[in-house]
Amino acid sequence: MKLLENKVVLITGASRGIGKAIAQNLAAHGAHIAFTFLSRIEKGKALEEELSAAGTTVKGYQSDASDFNAADELVTNVVADFGKIDVLINNAGITRDTLIMRMTEEHWDDVMRINLKSAFNLVKAATKPMMRARAGSIINITSVVGIMGNAGQANYAASKAGMIGFTKSVAKELGSRNIRCNAIAPGFIETEMTGELNEDKLKEWMSGIPLKRAGSGEDIANACAYLGSDMAAYVTGQVLVVDGGMLM
Ligand code: NAP
């Protein structure tokens, strides 16, 4: 039997980057995949076709994770289409990097709304079917930056630190219902998000990684497969750092 055989996994922001790698990896472990995208409709459709062609039960939904009502509607639709949600992965996120002196209210609000409020929206909605089932695994994709801070990312670091407090609180509240909640803190992962960094910043990050390489979406997806599965049945409220040793 495969690790995630017949588990229904909902992943936000899987049209590209880490979310896409999670969808591909968990599908290979036997999961049924519900995923969202926001602006990249073609990429969302392409992922749906790719996974479906490989025999996965899959559906992509265009849905804004930061919209409270849309998140609630999404969960209702996923339960109607798939029957349940076993694993929720809050992956959708953005950066609006700039120094605090130049950071606008909009930079701050956008990042908090999309990175932090989205996780609240989805957890609030998805825990209803999970509580009925008395089972569930929630995985919040935070960042090492939420633990160590980073110049030029005060908004992003605050949102990711917020996710960690949120994760631990949810783990404490819902543990008695057999709902686990953990966070994964990726380090430097090669995606469009990190593609925006300039050469100097890239060199600075790479020089501090003991494993001497950037991470891949697959590295994060492997951690999701573990935390989403029954192999992690006694693991909750944790932050699993996946960063090639950068943070230690
Ligand atoms: P990415 O390549 O920029 O992809 C972001 C994804 O989020 C896209 O699928 C995008 O959908 C989706 N998205 C954005 N806003 C959304 C919204 N409001 N509702 C639903 N979906 C939305 O980013 P990534 O590098 O894969 O990062 C994924 C997660 O890992 C983020 O939470 C990020 O903070 C975290 N992380 C990344 C790194 C890294 O080094 N890359 C490190 C630490 C943590 P569309 O394409 O449809 O717009």
Side-chain angles (χ1 to χ4, degrees):
M1 190 162 136
K2 289 185 176 175
L3 188 64
L4 296 168
E5 192 90 45
N6 291 327
K7 298 248 189 214
V8 175
V9 180
L10 170 58
I11 310 157
T12 62
S15 50
R16 55 198 160 100
I18 292 171
K20 182 179 175 184
I22 295 170
Q24 290 167 323
N25 181 300
L26 272 52
H29 281 297
H32 303 312
I33 305 291
F35 73 91
T36 71
F37 50 90
L38 185 64
S39 59
R40 315 281 174 104
I41 298 168
E42 288 311 314
K43 285 183 185 262
K45 290 280 161 236
L47 179 64
E48 196 179 67
E49 280 164 22
E50 176 195 318
L51 296 184
S52 178
T56 299
T57 303
V58 57
K59 187 163 179 179
Y61 303 80
Q62 187 174 21
S63 181
D64 183 349
S66 71
D67 179 326
F68 184 82
N69 293 325
D72 196 58
E73 193 183 326
L74 168 71
V75 166
T76 301
N77 290 337
V78 172
V79 172
D81 293 339
F82 289 81
K84 58 176 183 165
I85 298 173
D86 296 298
V87 182
L88 165 67
I89 304 179
N90 285 309
N91 167 77
I94 62 162
T95 50
R96 293 286 182 268
D97 296 353
T98 190
L99 296 172
I100 198 84
M101 293 294 287
R102 295 198 197 113
M103 194 173 286
T104 63
E105 186 182 10
E106 197 181 6
H107 288 141
W108 178 269
D109 287 347
D110 282 354
V111 168
M112 296 307 271
R113 183 171 48 81
I114 295 170
N115 295 1
L116 186 54
K117 188 184 170 210
S118 292
F120 162 71
N121 292 344
L122 268 298
V123 164
K124 172 102 180 144
T127 46
K128 285 178 221 155
M130 285 181 175
M131 279 168 85
R132 280 198 296 274
R134 285 203 158 260
S137 172
I138 298 163
I139 301 168
N140 295 321
I141 306 298
T142 174
S143 168
V144 289
V145 162
I147 302 169
M148 67 187 199
N150 193 29
Q153 289 196 305
N155 49 358
Y156 182 77
S159 73
K160 295 299 186 181
M163 270 184 124
I164 292 173
F166 178 65
T167 297
K168 293 181 180 185
S169 304
V170 171
K172 286 187 175 183
E173 271 188 43
L174 299 179
S176 63
R177 310 296 176 99
N178 194 31
I179 298 171
R180 299 182 292 106
C181 184
N182 293 287
I184 293 173
F188 185 85
I189 311 297
E190 270 175 340
T191 66
E192 275 185 40
M193 185 178 273
T194 45
E196 288 167 13
L197 293 177
N198 65 38
E199 278 291 309
D200 289 346
K201 200 78 192 158
L202 266 178
K203 277 193 188 136
E204 190 187 316
W205 279 101
M206 292 300 277
S207 68
I209 301 175
L211 288 181
K212 293 297 167 211
R213 68 167 177 90
S216 65
E218 186 74 4
D219 291 317
I220 306 307
N222 285 330
C224 288
Y226 165 65
L227 287 174
S229 78
D230 295 340
M231 298 250 290
Y234 202 50
V235 179
T236 195
Q238 300 306 302
V239 182
L240 178 52
V241 176
V242 183
D243 70 344
M246 185 171 72
L247 185 65
M248 68 181 166

